Amino acid sequence: MAFDLDKVAIVAPQREVTYGQMLVQIGMFAQRLALGEGERCLIFAPNGEGWIYALYAVWMRRGVAVPVDATSTVEDLAYVMKDCEPKTIWTSRTKMDTVEQAMKQAGVAPQVLFLDDVDTEAQLSTVNCQLPTEKAQPCPQGVLMMEEEPERTALIIYTSGTTGSPKGVMLSYDNLMANIEGVWKDVPIFDENRRTLMLLPVHHVLPLMGTVVAPMICGGGVAICPSLSANDIMETLKRGKVGMMIGVPRLWQTLYKGIKQKIDAHVATRALFWLCEKMQSRRLSRLVFRSVREKLGGHLVYCVSGGAALDVETARGMKTLGLDVLEGYGMTEAAPIIAFTRPDEIRPGCVGRPLPAVECKLVDGELYAKGRNIMQGYYRRPEETAEVLKDGWLRTGDLATIDKDGFVTITGRSKEIIVLSNGKNVNPAELELKLEKYTEQVKEAAVVPDGDKLCAIIVPRPEWAKGMAVADRETKLKEEVLQPYNQSVEPYKKVMGLYLYEGELPRTKLDKLQRFKLAEILRSGVHAAPKQQLVEPTFEEYRLLKQYIQDEKRLTEVRPTDHIETDLAFDSLDKVGLQDFIENTFGLMLTVDALSRFHHVAEMAEYVASYKTRMEKTDVDWHSLLNPGLAPDTTGLSPQASLPATWPTGPWIVHSFKTFFKMQFRLASKGTRNIPTEGPFILAANHQSYLDGLFVMSYVRLSQIRNTYFFAKEKHVNTPLRRWLAARHNVVVLEENDMKRSISKLADVLRQGKNIIIFPEGTRTSDGALGEFKKMFAILGVELQVPIVPVVINGAFEALPRGRHWPLPKKIVVEFRPPIQPTAGITYEELSDAVKTSIEEKLHRPASR
């Protein structure tokens, strides 16, 4: 490929540099290097023009460039120096103290050159190198000698150190060109007409390749942003006519949040955003939100996200704004790209398909990659190289799925997966994203194991925490973050401990959390919120309460300072059990609200000790509770309590929806013969979308619809119209502050020979997988001897995932499994597990989106 030497290659803060001037500069930098073939040269300096010239000068001298983070400490720099023994160092005068100390510590004495000493202004107007007179000249690829000696080592890049000591990754010219060709020729993201923003620190392989090497070789050039400030970014995007911007997820999250706040401030713009979200039309989004693109310079075509996982909400939101975020996946060892999102294949949450020259496969769930881009090995570490390179395949260490179309979705890091004592595997990154969505309170979050439970290290937002004592911050975070979070996830994902951290969590320059440093934060207790000191009570009431909680929640430890919701993750049904235990054991009536108001278990025990009327250990008697004739009635309900009205319109409304569902979703059913012809019975279904109840009801016989009841939480019928509709269309409203009464209502429905549709997970799935089952339905089934029909809903998660209101045209199938009749002696847990197993057997694994 030929280049015009008069074409602008670099838009710097104070000037523009042509390709011809850039080649002159590279030549002059190379003249100053005392570097032999294959010798190492460190580049230890901030982003800038000089950094680009220094890199190509090293390659012109047939040396090996070793980029180092400009903010490295003396110890970090000395580590790299000692490991690679550089012959030369390019740096700036402001870094000289660090360089001298590191050289002394490492015991090396390389040649030191200063980028500051090059009089760039003067040299840009002087052509001292022998350049041919024709304007069309070979591109900088010739400087790299890639075609001449592709197997020669070009770079040694030290890994960012997320799990321990960095290792030097050796990358050849061919490794680099394999990636460049993938995003230049195979998938034309880079081209000669699209300038790239140079923003992220270029010592890391992603910005080095994406904002220094690829743009120059492809002919588009770069625009150098002087800082990460919003004003500098906006100014550089505009002045440089930038067509591509590469950033880390937090950059896109911050940008999207700022834009969305302005959109949400006005009804009209909110409505336009909603319309674009539903239509999913790039052309419409770019027309409606043209002003957004103009504020970003007016030339931005592609936003590239890398370095860590981009949350789905941000990806979808940016797409709605008409800004294509191309998420990629890779690692330093792959130079760096393994998989990449094509512009016309954007799937939020998915990292695209492998580049054409890259093969991928899964081995026990771990992603392996093979191709020209895979590293030569770790510098001077043959044993560690052999651990990750197996017959040419790179073991990435990442867990993934690959769908039938070849799309890759990263599900976690194998070394980061937390294995709990109950055998459950937890991906901490997934939980951290959920916690960080509480943006008003949480700046950063990290989830770590602490014994047999999960704890969160939370950095609160300074503006939210201002003026609050540490203890008050902890209390508020438990109430406003941990409590709603714990109510939204499966029991094994609940966070049972909280540590406040006043600094910033340890991260790499590309925003990856350095998890190996988190344990030290917990051990040292530095900046952690002091835990309330409370001596373990010894009185009998506390001992009985503690033992009940341990048995009920299957915990090995309950501390006197634990709160039943934020620390012990009690849900509504758990509170009913505790309420009944206290009443039967101590003769004391407490409401659910009263239980939640106790600051901790010790305070609850002290109250019980002060006001109890008796003390006799008993278990929760669900049988008596659900069969009022066997015990004094404390529910206020008779066996024939009135039920919500059943309007004649109900069955016809349901069947009209069925017609729409068949057109929109190709709704189909299996096993309808398994629905009992007479009641009472319970339909227990997995929960994938807000239309699941109607999907199930579509296949209940017309004659049975009026005898089949839903239930809804109070918060879901919180308007007069919703309450009016619920009271006339078989909806039983559960009182969250009196769950005992609410469960009795459901029992009364069944005692009157009616049927119930129930979703044992309690909330919609967040990933398509089946969540933990709450045992309310099993208690009703066992105590009232009512058969339970497991119902499997497949496809609704893909058609109506969380956050989407207008459905996608995906096929949905509702399958009714054989009824399970509770047998004598069966426990609630056994019945719940039997129903869950029946559903799991037919539940499809959701396709990657």
Side-chain angles (χ1 to χ4, degrees):
M1 179 176 177
F3 272 55
D4 184 345
L5 295 180
D6 290 338
K7 182 178 181 180
V8 173
I10 302 171
V11 177
Q14 303 300 326
R15 57 182 163 265
E16 294 183 351
V17 181
T18 67
Y19 271 97
Q21 292 168 331
M22 183 183 76
L23 291 174
V24 170
Q25 290 284 29
I26 293 170
M28 298 189 73
F29 270 55
Q31 288 175 10
R32 303 181 65 202
L33 278 173
L35 195 67
E37 182 176 318
E39 291 180 327
R40 277 78 57 205
C41 175
L42 260 64
I43 307 178
F44 179 63
N47 286 10
E49 271 184 75
W51 209 106
I52 299 173
Y53 306 146
L55 173 70
Y56 284 104
V58 172
W59 285 339
M60 182 175 279
R61 282 290 188 184
R62 305 169 72 85
V64 179
V66 185
V68 181
D69 184 358
T71 63
S72 294
T73 63
V74 170
E75 290 73 20
D76 290 340
L77 182 59
Y79 175 90
V80 176
M81 286 182 175
K82 188 171 183 178
D83 195 62
C84 74
E85 298 177 337
K87 180 71 178 295
T88 309
I89 297 176
W90 277 112
T91 189
S92 61
R93 291 194 177 277
T94 58
K95 298 292 180 184
M96 192 55 200
D97 286 345
T98 302
V99 170
E100 286 180 337
Q101 293 180 55
M103 287 167 56
K104 183 177 180 180
Q105 194 175 117
V108 296
Q111 173 195 22
V112 178
L113 299 173
F114 299 109
L115 299 176
D116 323 57
D117 288 349
V118 179
D119 186 354
T120 310
E121 287 283 6
Q123 291 173 10
L124 284 178
S125 59
T126 306
V127 180
N128 296 320
C129 291
Q130 297 298 315
L131 291 174
T133 56
E134 294 87 355
K135 283 191 174 182
Q137 297 299 333
C139 72
Q141 183 178 339
V143 176
L144 272 63
M145 301 174 294
M146 289 182 173
E147 294 178 354
E148 183 182 331
E149 297 179 90
E151 298 306 319
R152 182 181 294 279
T153 301
L155 293 168
I156 297 178
I157 297 186
Y158 281 80
T159 55
S160 53
T162 58
T163 57
S165 299
K167 300 182 286 291
V169 176
M170 297 185 294
L171 299 173
S172 70
Y173 291 114
D174 193 49
N175 293 154
L176 307 188
M177 277 309 297
N179 260 231
I180 293 169
E181 289 170 2
V183 292
W184 175 27
K185 298 177 180 178
D186 298 325
V187 183
I189 306 301
F190 290 87
D191 65 34
E192 66 273 16
N193 299 313
R194 188 169 295 133
R195 189 171 289 132
T196 303
L197 185 69
M198 183 175 167
L199 176 67
L200 301 175
V202 293
H203 70 276
H204 193 283
V205 69
L206 172 63
L208 174 60
M209 290 295 293
T211 68
V212 176
V213 181
M216 293 302 185
I217 290 178
C218 301
V222 301
I224 301 174
C225 190
S227 78
L228 290 171
S229 74
N231 288 339
D232 280 342
I233 293 173
M234 295 301 182
E235 172 61 26
T236 308
L237 287 171
K238 184 177 180 180
R239 182 167 49 85
K241 298 180 179 179
V242 171
M244 177 149 48
M245 180 176 172
I246 297 175
V248 295
R250 283 183 187 271
L251 174 66
W252 305 121
Q253 289 163 3
T254 302
L255 176 64
Y256 173 64
K257 181 183 176 184
I259 296 172
K260 191 64 164 59
Q261 283 178 339
K262 292 180 181 179
I263 289 173
D264 289 343
H266 304 284
V267 174
T269 48
R270 283 204 306 271
L272 288 172
F273 186 88
W274 178 88
L275 176 64
C276 290
E277 186 178 39
K278 303 311 169 195
M279 297 301 293
Q280 293 290 300
S281 166
R282 182 187 294 175
R283 180 178 296 179
L284 176 63
S285 292
R286 290 189 172 183
L287 176 64
V288 170
F289 295 108
R290 182 175 56 189
S291 61
V292 172
R293 297 179 67 239
E294 288 175 352
K295 288 178 182 177
L296 295 173
H299 295 82
L300 191 62
V301 178
Y302 296 129
C303 305
V304 177
S305 182
L310 178 67
D311 70 286
V312 174
E313 181 182 347
T314 298
R316 286 178 180 157
M318 293 288 282
K319 185 178 180 182
T320 299
L321 294 172
L323 295 169
D324 293 341
V325 180
L326 308 180
E327 190 172 0
Y329 163 75
M331 52 199 305
T332 306
E333 290 86 342
I337 306 173
I338 292 174
F340 193 70
T341 298
R342 279 65 165 170
D344 57 347
E345 296 179 344
I346 296 176
R347 298 186 182 185
C350 172
V351 296
R353 292 183 289 118
L355 289 182
V358 178
E359 294 180 66
C360 286
K361 68 177 181 179
L362 297 177
V363 179
D364 296 327
E366 181 183 352
L367 187 66
Y368 280 47
K370 186 177 186 179
R372 281 173 53 207
N373 60 322
I374 303 303
M375 68 171 181
Q376 295 173 311
Y378 294 122
Y379 185 64
R380 293 179 174 174
R381 298 198 183 191
E383 292 182 359
E384 293 183 50
T385 299
E387 288 179 8
V388 298
L389 288 180
K390 307 285 186 182
D391 299 322
W393 288 93
L394 172 68
R395 294 185 57 183
T396 67
D398 288 309
L399 303 176
T401 61
I402 303 176
D403 70 12
K404 59 183 176 59
D405 298 317
F407 286 86
V408 178
T409 299
I410 304 300
T411 59
R413 182 85 180 148
S414 60
K415 292 182 180 179
E416 295 176 357
I417 295 297
I418 298 170
V419 182
L420 301 175
S421 58
N422 61 6
K424 294 284 189 180
N425 291 339
V426 175
N427 177 10
E430 173 197 343
L431 277 54
E432 289 154 3
L433 280 174
K434 290 179 183 292
L435 290 169
E436 289 176 355
K437 286 185 178 179
Y438 297 90
T439 53
E440 180 183 344
Q441 302 89 349
V442 179
K443 180 182 178 184
E444 293 183 272
V447 174
V448 294
D450 186 11
D452 62 349
K453 63 180 181 297
L454 296 174
C455 290
I457 302 173
I458 289 181
V459 178
R461 288 203 173 276
E463 58 270 27
W464 173 84
K466 187 176 181 180
M468 270 193 275
V470 172
D472 292 336
R473 293 179 201 173
E474 185 172 7
T475 300
K476 283 283 189 183
L477 283 172
K478 284 183 175 181
E479 293 174 354
E480 298 176 11
V481 177
L482 290 194
Q483 184 175 340
Y485 162 82
N486 281 338
Q487 291 174 350
S488 70
V489 299
E490 299 90 334
Y492 72 93
K493 293 181 180 178
K494 291 182 178 180
V495 170
M496 309 293 277
L498 171 67
Y499 293 84
L500 299 191
Y501 193 67
E502 301 300 332
E504 292 188 352
L505 296 179
R507 294 182 181 274
T508 69
K509 293 296 179 182
L510 286 195
D511 208 39
K512 290 183 181 178
L513 199 57
Q514 293 180 304
R515 296 190 183 277
F516 70 98
K517 295 182 179 179
L518 298 178
E520 184 59 33
I521 290 176
L522 293 182
R523 284 195 298 269
S524 66
V526 178
H527 300 302
K531 298 300 292 182
Q532 183 177 359
Q533 296 299 313
L534 191 62
V535 177
E536 181 91 9
T538 57
F539 55 92
E540 185 65 8
E541 292 84 356
Y542 172 79
R543 190 191 68 77
L544 288 173
L545 273 172
K546 176 181 177 180
Q547 188 62 52
Y548 170 80
I549 292 170
Q550 283 182 321
D551 293 344
E552 186 69 15
K553 300 298 289 183
R554 301 178 185 178
L555 298 172
T556 58
E557 179 189 15
V558 172
R559 298 168 298 187
T561 55
D562 285 340
H563 186 276
I564 63 169
E565 288 179 350
T566 55
D567 294 312
L568 301 173
F570 265 57
D571 60 21
S572 299
L573 191 62
D574 293 327
K575 292 175 194 173
V576 173
L578 179 59
Q579 188 182 25
D580 201 68
F581 172 78
I582 292 174
E583 180 182 344
N584 292 332
T585 306
F586 303 108
L588 183 62
M589 291 282 292
L590 287 173
T591 66
V592 169
D593 275 348
L595 292 175
S596 300
R597 283 197 294 268
F598 290 115
H599 291 97
H600 43 65
V601 175
E603 184 182 335
M604 183 190 300
E606 289 168 0
Y607 183 89
V608 168
S610 300
Y611 295 100
K612 71 179 188 297
T613 60
R614 65 172 184 270
M615 187 162 66
E616 180 182 352
K617 184 178 179 181
T618 61
D619 294 323
V620 179
D621 187 357
W622 289 108
H623 187 65
S624 296
L625 179 64
L626 298 181
N627 292 275
L630 302 179
D633 185 10
T634 60
T635 68
L637 289 175
S638 71
Q640 293 298 318
S642 61
L643 301 179
T646 303
W647 277 25
T649 54
W652 304 107
I653 291 174
V654 169
H655 275 262
S656 66
F657 271 110
K658 180 179 181 180
T659 302
F660 169 74
F661 293 155
K662 284 194 171 185
M663 291 187 295
Q664 176 69 19
F665 305 114
R666 291 169 289 155
L667 183 68
S669 69
K670 294 180 181 179
T672 53
R673 64 184 180 281
N674 289 319
I675 303 176
T677 55
E678 296 180 356
F681 56 83
I682 297 172
L683 298 173
N686 60 304
H687 204 0
Q688 295 195 335
S689 77
Y690 66 83
L691 293 177
D692 289 345
L694 287 172
F695 293 149
V696 176
M697 284 290 281
S698 294
Y699 290 100
V700 173
R701 296 175 183 87
L702 195 65
S703 59
Q704 290 181 307
I705 289 177
R706 297 185 65 186
N707 289 324
T708 302
Y709 287 73
F710 299 92
F711 74 88
K713 296 178 182 178
E714 286 177 300
K715 63 183 180 182
H716 294 149
V717 286
N718 55 1
T719 65
L721 177 60
R722 289 180 180 178
R723 286 193 292 271
W724 185 86
L725 289 171
R728 289 157 179 80
H729 290 88
N730 290 28
V731 178
V732 178
V733 179
L734 299 190
E735 303 167 48
E736 295 179 73
N737 290 329
D738 192 351
M739 281 298 294
K740 184 184 291 188
R741 180 181 177 88
S742 296
I743 294 172
S744 294
K745 282 184 182 181
L746 293 178
D748 203 73
V749 171
L750 297 169
R751 281 197 299 270
Q752 294 188 31
K754 312 296 186 182
N755 317 309
I756 291 175
I757 293 179
I758 197 166
F759 299 98
E761 293 165 278
T763 187
R764 289 162 56 189
T765 179
S766 59
D767 57 6
L770 199 61
E772 292 295 318
F773 274 24
K774 300 182 186 301
K775 61 184 180 182
M776 180 194 298
F777 80 101
I779 292 171
L780 291 168
V782 170
E783 297 303 339
L784 301 177
Q785 284 297 293
V786 173
I788 298 172
V789 180
V791 184
V792 188
I793 301 173
N794 278 308
F797 175 71
E798 289 82 357
L800 271 166
R802 279 180 177 267
R804 187 176 185 88
H805 300 288
W806 189 256
L808 296 169
K810 304 288 186 179
K811 183 176 177 60
I812 296 176
V813 178
V814 180
E815 180 172 355
F816 298 86
R817 305 280 285 145
I820 298 176
Q821 177 67 48
T823 56
I826 191 171
T827 67
Y828 309 140
E829 289 77 13
E830 289 170 344
L831 180 57
S832 177
D833 288 346
V835 174
K836 185 177 181 182
T837 299
S838 179
I839 293 174
E840 280 180 325
E841 287 175 354
K842 295 295 182 177
L843 186 63
H844 299 163
R845 185 182 181 87
S848 302
R849 302 196 316 276

